[in-house]
Amino acid sequence: MKYKQSVILKNVSINTVRKAFSDLSFLKHLIAFQPVKIMEWEGTSDGEVAHMRFWFFGWKNFKVEHCDNFEDENSFSFKDQGLELPFDLNQWVHEHIVITRGNNIEIIDKINFSGNNKILALLLYPILILPIFVRKVLYRTYSWK
């Protein structure tokens, strides 16, 4: 199952966004008001791990490893590759792409996941996508410094 969204941030520099994406306080902003606990956060460089637990009729582990980092003066990207997934999911890839667009920044989130049970994966789609969807607002409300 796939999902893609794009958000434009006005008058924010690529370096400011690059720094925020590896900052734990940015992650905390993105998960605020969601039933999520951060268990481990190493950063977003290749090989670094993020382990969270979220509540959905009991606490579920969600652990990813960051990989495929790319960076140049006008963009950067990296992926979250699923290591430990709930609900019989067998694949999770979340690609973060950040691109300079004049004085603005475009943040693109691409999600691709699958499960052993296709019907269950279909039912889980809105639950798994909602935390990404709300970033349309949360990216804009972050204090970009």
Side-chain angles (χ1 to χ4, degrees):
M1 310 221 68
K2 295 182 180 185
Y3 177 76
K4 178 182 175 184
Q5 74 180 23
S6 174
V7 175
I8 300 291
L9 301 175
K10 297 188 182 285
N11 300 314
V12 179
S13 76
I14 190 78
N15 290 330
T16 299
V17 178
R18 184 180 287 124
K19 183 179 174 186
F21 263 84
S22 62
D23 188 338
L24 181 58
S25 65
F26 180 62
L27 175 62
K28 288 180 179 180
H29 176 77
L30 294 179
I31 64 170
F33 309 111
Q34 296 179 40
V36 177
K37 295 180 187 178
I38 301 169
M39 307 306 289
E40 178 182 11
W41 173 256
E42 295 177 348
T44 59
S45 296
D46 286 352
E48 293 183 327
V49 171
H51 177 196
M52 288 170 254
R53 297 190 74 189
F54 69 94
W55 191 91
F56 185 75
F57 300 106
W59 289 101
K60 312 291 185 210
N61 284 319
F62 197 93
K63 192 173 191 178
V64 298
E65 180 178 15
H66 296 110
C67 62
D68 296 342
N69 270 265
F70 169 81
E71 181 177 325
D72 65 21
E73 65 182 40
N74 295 312
S75 67
F76 71 93
S77 63
F78 65 94
K79 293 179 183 176
D80 305 338
Q81 186 83 38
L83 295 176
E84 184 177 341
L85 302 170
F87 308 120
D88 210 24
L89 293 177
N90 57 22
Q91 178 197 18
W92 173 271
V93 179
H94 177 184
E95 186 173 8
H96 308 263
I97 304 165
V98 180
I99 303 168
T100 301
R101 302 278 189 221
N103 290 333
N104 304 323
I105 295 293
E106 180 179 15
I107 301 176
I108 303 164
D109 288 289
K110 293 182 181 179
I111 309 292
N112 188 4
F113 70 91
S114 61
N116 294 320
N117 182 325
K118 292 185 187 222
I119 294 171
L120 180 58
L122 183 62
L123 293 172
L124 290 171
Y125 185 87
I127 295 161
L128 294 170
I129 297 307
L130 182 62
I132 306 305
F133 179 77
V134 298
R135 291 180 181 193
K136 287 185 174 213
V137 173
L138 296 173
Y139 285 147
R140 290 185 178 118
T141 61
Y142 185 68
S143 178
W144 299 100
K145 299 177 186 176

